């Protein structure tokens, strides 16, 4: 088991990790999530003794990593798949690691077969693709047959077959009673692989719970309703009936309605009573990605600015592309693509968003009540796009200098 208590790491004036406490238990795959720069890699390095914490401590099986006897046989890790001498073959690289840890040479051939590199074992690693390098890094982590395994982005560069293999490998290792700690940005893979989640943002703990609890806590289910596009009056009648029944209605970009607070059978009855035909009535269950985005939207450091050339593109005759008009009644969410929904627990870590960032409700009808954190958005007049050589007034991006420079060059 991995246990961190009050873990803090500072680099000069920057605090990478602050008072972080969690446990990674054996027998389950624990996902480690967080935006770029949130402190995930720093935390893993402190677990492995590569960085010393400023305060607090972290132990593996009750002992600091540095005090573990023959650590490679107890802990395996993949932090950087490129940390390989390019002039060595895959087999020689693993053989050198095995000799340092007193591991029999036959184990090298075993793990090469496990990761599927047995046919290229004599090739120099500098000629490996990104996916092959990942497989070699996983082989190095498995070399000592350890009980504790840490993986940082293990599926980076792998093809679909390789991703499926890694997913099954993680589950198998956990089923054998091992401690498996996996950091990844692929929410779809985490939803299929992880049993438990630890989520951090800006170096602080945001969530420590099962995948199912995380999704239910940070999202709200809703119904997706669509009426015939040729009968907008029917859409308005249904919206009025839903609001009168206590529901909250939001217009989506494709013309559908997002309805919360009213169960699906009741929506069907209201549409029947209003003599409105339905083209779609489907339940929507939130994904891990949506729940994660809602939880971490206030902890993201790097955000893109609007490409000023987008407004100069000609409109697509089929209604798509950057020059196409927005659907009627739809206000694009400027800074908060995941507003709070009815029935959702407020996120204590999310930063307050400006009023214009809240999606507007269907035309003529109120959105969620103010108590839900959803004040109605004021009408914002359209702004003509600025010439490509000049940034729009007051659009100084809040991102880091490198992103600002790159976006400015794109604008030119």
């Amino acid at each position: 088991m991995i246990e961190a208590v009050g873990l803090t790491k500072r680099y000069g004036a920057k605090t990478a990790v602050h008072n972080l406490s969690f446990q990674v238990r054996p027998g389950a795959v624990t996902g480690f999530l967080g935006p770029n720069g949130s402190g995930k890699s720093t935390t893993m390095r402190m677990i492995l003794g590569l960085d010393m914490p400023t305060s607090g401590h972290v132990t593996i099986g009750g002992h600091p990593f540095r005090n573990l006897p023959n650590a490679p046989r107890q802990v395996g890790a993949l932090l950087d798949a490129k940390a390989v001498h390019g002039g060595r073959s895959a087999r020689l690289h693993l053989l050198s690691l095995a000799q340092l840890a007193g591991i029999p040479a036959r184990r090298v051939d075993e793990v090469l077969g496990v990761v599927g590199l047995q046919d290229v074992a004599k090739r120099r690693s500098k000629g490996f693709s990104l996916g092959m390098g990942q497989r070699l890094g996983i082989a190095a982590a498995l070399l000592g047959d350890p009980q504790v395994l840490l993986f940082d982005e293990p599926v980076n560069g792998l093809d679909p077959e390789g991703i499926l293999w890694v997913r099954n490998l993680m589950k198998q290792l956990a089923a054998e009673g091992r401690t498996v700690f996996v950091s990844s940005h692929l929410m779809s893979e985490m939803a299929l692989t992880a049993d438990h989640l630890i989520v951090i943002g800006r170096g602080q703990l945001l969530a420590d719970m099962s995948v199912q609890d995380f999704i239910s806590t940070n999202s709200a289910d809703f119904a997706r309703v669509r009426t015939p596009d040729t009968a907008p009056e029917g859409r308005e009648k249904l919206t009025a009936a839903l609001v009168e029944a206590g529901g909250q209605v939001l217009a989506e970009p494709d013309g559908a309605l997002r309805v919360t607070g009213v169960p699906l059978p009741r929506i069907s009855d209201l549409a029947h009573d209003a003599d409105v035909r339905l083209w779609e009535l489907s339940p929507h269950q939130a994904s891990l990605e949506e729940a994660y985005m809602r939880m971490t939207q206030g902890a993201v450091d790097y955000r893109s600015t609007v490409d000023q050339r987008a407004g100069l593109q000609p409109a697509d005759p089929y209604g798509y592309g950057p020059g196409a008009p927005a659907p009627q009644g739809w206000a694009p969410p400027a800074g908060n693509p995941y507003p709070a929904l009815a029935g959702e627990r407020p996120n204590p870590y999310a930063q307050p968003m400006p009023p214009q960032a809240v999606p507007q409700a269907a035309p003529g009808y109120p959105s969620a009540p103010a108590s839900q954190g959803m004040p109605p958005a004021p009408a914002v007049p359209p702004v003509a796009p600025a010439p490509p050589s000049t940034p729009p007034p007051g659009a100084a991006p809040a991102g880091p200098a490198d992103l600002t420079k790159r976006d400015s060059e794109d604008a030119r």
Side-chain angles (χ1 to χ4, degrees), residues 92-123:
L92 286 180
H93 169 67
L94 295 177
L95 188 59
S96 63
L97 297 178
Q99 290 175 343
L100 288 173
I103 299 171
R106 66 176 182 274
R107 179 62 180 166
V108 172
D109 297 318
E110 291 176 0
V111 295
L112 282 171
V114 170
V115 302
L117 294 180
Q118 64 272 21
D119 294 336
V120 294
K122 296 182 180 180
R123 281 180 52 182

Side-chain angles (χ1 to χ4, degrees), residues 122-343:
K122 296 182 180 180
R123 281 180 52 182
R124 292 184 178 182
S125 60
K126 65 180 180 181
F128 280 10
S129 66
L130 180 58
M132 293 168 66
Q134 288 292 114
R135 289 177 180 266
L136 182 57
I138 294 174
L142 299 176
L143 192 59
D145 195 24
Q147 288 297 310
V148 177
L149 292 135
L150 292 85
F151 298 98
D152 191 2
E153 300 289 348
V155 299
N156 187 25
L158 292 177
D159 56 14
E161 187 278 334
I163 293 175
L164 177 61
W165 166 72
V166 170
R167 184 193 311 160
N168 293 333
L169 175 65
M170 301 296 169
K171 292 182 177 181
Q172 178 186 344
L173 294 171
E176 294 171 357
R178 305 176 197 254
T179 301
V180 183
F181 196 35
V182 186
S183 169
S184 179
H185 287 120
L186 296 180
M187 295 298 109
S188 58
E189 274 309 301
M190 283 290 96
L192 295 172
T193 307
D195 306 297
H196 196 87
L197 292 178
I198 293 173
V199 185
I200 65 174
R202 293 177 178 163
Q204 301 183 60
L205 184 68
L206 300 185
D208 184 353
M209 60 185 70
S210 69
V211 175
Q212 293 78 9
D213 290 344
F214 180 82
I215 294 175
S216 61
T217 300
N218 296 287
S219 63
D221 296 338
F222 61 86
R224 180 178 166 85
V225 183
R226 182 189 295 277
T227 59
D229 297 334
T230 56
E233 65 280 358
R235 183 171 180 266
E236 296 179 2
K237 285 172 59 178
L238 180 58
T239 302
L242 291 170
V243 171
E244 186 178 354
Q248 288 80 41
V249 183
L250 289 175
E252 293 201 329
D254 60 357
L257 298 176
R258 176 184 297 199
V259 182
T260 57
V262 182
L264 260 70
R266 179 62 175 155
I267 296 175
S268 178
D269 292 341
L270 290 172
H272 181 270
D273 294 341
D275 195 21
V276 176
R277 284 194 304 151
L278 297 181
W279 277 5
E280 179 183 354
L281 176 57
S282 59
H284 173 86
Q285 294 180 338
S287 63
L288 174 60
E289 179 181 27
E290 183 177 346
Y292 168 82
M293 294 297 289
R294 289 180 186 277
M295 164 62 76
T296 61
Q297 60 185 332
V300 176
D301 291 327
Y302 307 105
R303 297 182 186 273
S304 174
T305 57
V306 177
D307 187 351
Q308 301 304 324
R309 293 180 299 178
L312 303 178
Q313 302 294 331
D316 191 312
Y318 298 100
Y320 299 99
Q328 185 177 3
W330 168 254
N336 183 11
Y338 296 94
L341 299 177

